[in-house]
Amino acid sequence: MTRIPEDDRDILEKAIYLPMVLIVLNRDIAVVKNSPFKLKKPYLDLIEATMKEIQRELSEVKVYMKKNKLQVIETKRDDAFTMYMFIYKGYEENHNYFNPRIRNKVQELMEEYLLKKHLSQ
């Protein structure tokens, strides 16, 4: 049973997922730059705008975590699982995440951020 409220757990999970989304998008920028696309700028602009939005949100997450004494530490990783220690106001909890679930969540967040800009127009 977790002592961490759902809202704070969501923040802690964002601290895990958002940096991963940024890593993927950074790699995608390199791929687009080296691709045979005739017009690369629209793709690069979309990725860079998305990265700025994610960085802004990640900054808010970090401020919230510092203010509320929350911390996430990766403690163990193998082929199937990654374990994180969540520190919540002095309490420590270990949480195991299935690596394909992490990958799916990162993909879901990428789609959400990339489509948010497109759908808001």
Side-chain angles (χ1 to χ4, degrees), residues 60-76:
E60 291 173 5
V61 165
K62 288 180 179 180
V63 167
Y64 180 88
M65 286 175 62
K66 186 172 184 121
K67 183 176 153 191
N68 292 284
K69 298 178 183 153
L70 306 175
Q71 228 178 336
V72 176
I73 302 166
E74 182 180 320
T75 56
K76 190 174 154 188

Side-chain angles (χ1 to χ4, degrees), residues 109-120:
L109 285 169
M110 279 182 65
E111 290 169 358
E112 190 177 301
Y113 280 103
L114 287 166
L115 290 174
K116 183 191 300 184
K117 188 163 187 70
H118 174 72
L119 295 175
S120 67

Side-chain angles (χ1 to χ4, degrees), residues 28-110:
D28 289 352
I29 284 179
V31 169
V32 170
K33 284 181 179 176
N34 296 320
S35 71
F37 290 143
K38 202 160 204 94
L39 300 171
K40 297 176 186 177
K41 188 174 179 341
Y43 299 103
L44 293 173
D45 289 348
L46 177 63
I47 294 171
E48 288 169 0
T50 302
M51 288 178 72
K52 282 181 185 171
E53 171 69 18
I54 293 168
Q55 287 165 338
R56 183 194 59 73
E57 190 166 331
L58 184 58
S59 172
E60 291 173 5
V61 165
K62 288 180 179 180
V63 167
Y64 180 88
M65 286 175 62
K66 186 172 184 121
K67 183 176 153 191
N68 292 284
K69 298 178 183 153
L70 306 175
Q71 228 178 336
V72 176
I73 302 166
E74 182 180 320
T75 56
K76 190 174 154 188
R77 177 188 299 255
D78 61 31
D79 292 339
F81 291 93
T82 303
M83 182 179 281
Y84 293 95
M85 182 190 317
F86 290 176
I87 300 174
Y88 174 76
K89 299 180 181 179
Y91 296 105
E92 293 180 4
E93 290 184 4
N94 288 311
H95 292 260
N96 239 351
Y97 287 83
F98 189 47
N99 289 339
R101 178 181 177 263
I102 293 173
R103 184 179 169 277
N104 291 340
K105 183 64 177 178
V106 168
Q107 180 176 326
E108 179 184 309
L109 285 169
M110 279 182 65

